[in-house]
Amino acid sequence: MDLGEKLALLAASARYDASCASSGSARVSGTGGIGAAVPAGVCHSWTGDGRCVSLLKVLYSNACRNDCAYCVNRSSADIRRASFGAEELVSLTVEFYRRNYVEGLFLSSGVFSDPDIVMERLIEVARILREREGFAGYIHLKGIPGCGEALLRKAGLFADRISVNIELPTSRSLALLAPQKSGAEILGSMRLLGEAESESREDAARLRSTPRFAPAGQSTQLIVGASPEDDRCIVNLAAALYRRYGLRRVYYSAFMPVAPDPRLPSPTSPPLLREHRLYQADWLLRFYGYGADELFEGAESSFAADIDPKCSWALGHPSFFPVDACRASYAELLRVPGVGPAGARRILASRSSRSLRSEDLRKMGIALKRASWFLSLDGSPLREPAQPEVIRASLADHSPPGKATGRPAPAGQLELEFS
Ligand code: SF4
């Protein structure tokens, strides 16, 4: 198999991994330009300082000894298998970088051998890029669960980000759909990465020349809809991962079957609206100060289809509102639908020098169509009170695609306390 074929195959095999946020790209050179088209294998991701970078996204190998039911590369799948050599990947990365196709590399792999051996191969690619090629671009490496601690620590010295995919929200679902995977190994790797990252931060505070461990932190991917867990279970797990292991991002990936399997549901379309609601809730956890338990206070354990989780919370807490924009704290302002962190900061900054009017709020980027139901100015509500159904209808969020699906009761949460 020539290198081009290998690249097409191993880029296609990698496209199901959402832990490096991806959007397809087919950049071509213009007249007089150099290089060939890249029909697959380029995705976009965000660095620790918020820059968007394009990455060559490939697997080292799509051979895998595991048989995860949801995965296109599972051992029982009848697909062409291929593996890169380290030098092939280095030369592809450097070539694409020179041609300005990519600014970095996202490298994952099937578990084609012992986890230590697979991890060593991934590290070797990153090491050659950094040490021999002087490559300073972004590198995202997959952490292979079950590999040794020393290897994960070494990976973090070459990679900007490392991700260990948890894939399923409970140990019960892992045992059913990914029987060779171990929740304890996955969480153990995450814990180790979290510890290494915080040790490196502390060392760097004492000695600035200390090499940073995976400066863009760690991320993971959760598949949504392959197993019966509800949104409450998934949000609780995500919150625990952020809190306990310092993850930077949890990515949610709407499930679509790659092959019929009696253990898997057979949706006609991926649950994109559900995925979208989970991303919205994730945002509330990370930037708005919500606790996972606050997002599901009643009997509900799945997000509403018609409104987003923040509006749901607001409608469920009428006594909290109206929030007075002239007096409220930052945390209170963040609870108002239509007010984000930047808007809340602008309100705080501007009211110290003058009194606020609703026109000022609009100019600050506050979404008054939603916020006006929940805000007051110097004790005067921005809008006349209305029945909850009327407010709910006006808050309806029609933008995301797909349909929400009902979910049965959650199975037991993955055990986060292990050694
Ligand atoms: S370990 Fe499972 S999810 Fe990962 S490549 Fe192998 S079969 Fe796919």
Side-chain angles (χ1 to χ4, degrees), residues 26-292:
R27 191 182 304 175
V28 293
S29 57
T31 311
I34 57 167
V38 185
V42 178
C43 75
H44 296 120
S45 191
W46 282 265
T47 60
D49 60 5
R51 283 175 303 121
C52 179
V53 291
S54 50
L55 304 178
L56 172 62
K57 180 179 179 181
V58 285
L59 297 188
Y60 188 97
S61 172
N62 68 349
C64 192
R65 61 187 194 177
N66 294 350
D67 200 39
C68 307
Y70 47 80
C71 179
V72 69
N73 303 311
R74 68 200 181 284
S75 59
S76 62
D78 182 18
I79 57 167
R80 287 177 87 196
R81 307 281 175 175
S83 300
F84 282 117
E87 291 294 347
E88 287 177 323
L89 271 169
V90 168
S91 97
L92 278 173
T93 308
V94 170
E95 268 302 296
F96 282 11
Y97 184 78
R98 287 201 177 120
R99 293 175 189 192
N100 212 22
Y101 287 161
V102 299
E103 294 157 277
L105 171 69
F106 171 93
L107 183 59
S108 181
S109 184
V111 187
F112 55 84
S113 181
D114 182 84
D116 278 352
I117 292 174
V118 181
M119 195 71 239
E120 273 167 10
R121 300 277 172 87
L122 304 189
I123 293 170
E124 183 61 1
V125 174
R127 188 195 65 75
I128 298 174
L129 279 169
R130 293 287 194 232
E131 292 184 346
R132 192 184 76 199
E133 303 295 332
F135 182 73
Y138 187 83
I139 298 180
H140 180 153
L141 287 185
K142 186 62 60 184
I144 306 298
C147 78
E149 173 174 342
L151 288 170
L152 280 178
R153 286 186 177 272
K154 190 171 175 188
L157 297 179
F158 298 117
D160 293 279
R161 169 165 284 186
I162 303 181
S163 57
V164 177
N165 282 355
I166 196 164
E167 309 283 23
L168 297 166
T170 63
S171 46
R172 187 186 309 173
S173 289
L174 268 179
L176 178 70
L177 299 177
Q180 291 88 10
K181 287 192 172 178
S182 147
E185 275 181 356
I186 293 168
L187 296 175
S189 298
M190 287 180 172
R191 188 184 58 185
L192 189 122
L193 291 171
E195 286 169 0
E197 198 193 340
S198 66
E199 283 164 21
S200 141
R201 255 199 317 272
E202 284 164 22
D203 290 348
R206 281 195 294 271
L207 188 62
R208 285 183 62 189
S209 59
T210 308
R212 282 291 307 277
F213 180 91
Q218 60 168 321
S219 61
T220 193
Q221 166 181 265
L222 262 166
I223 301 171
V224 178
S227 52
E229 294 83 6
D230 56 29
D231 295 342
R232 183 195 288 259
C233 174
I234 291 175
V235 169
N236 280 335
L237 175 60
L241 295 178
Y242 286 128
R243 194 174 60 247
R244 296 187 185 197
Y245 307 132
L247 264 75
R248 299 287 175 91
R249 286 297 304 269
V250 175
Y251 290 96
Y252 307 91
S253 177
F255 170 68
M256 261 312 275
V258 290
D261 188 305
R263 295 169 294 173
L264 289 168
S266 310
T268 50
S269 59
L272 294 177
L273 177 55
R274 190 173 175 213
E275 177 192 279
H276 181 66
R277 291 280 179 261
L278 286 164
Y279 274 117
Q280 290 174 323
D282 192 273
W283 211 255
L284 297 182
L285 294 179
R286 290 186 297 132
F287 302 116
Y288 286 73
Y290 287 75

Side-chain angles (χ1 to χ4, degrees), residues 290 297 304 306-321 335-337 370 373-374 386-396:
Y290 287 75
E297 285 170 334
D306 59 331
I307 54 174
D308 66 50
K310 187 176 180 185
C311 289
S312 254
W313 186 90
L315 288 178
H317 295 81
S319 61
F320 190 84
F321 300 100
R335 296 279 161 152
V336 177
R370 274 173 287 152
W373 295 110
F374 305 97
Q387 292 298 317
E389 315 81 72
V390 174
I391 303 177
R392 187 176 186 114
S394 85
L395 297 173

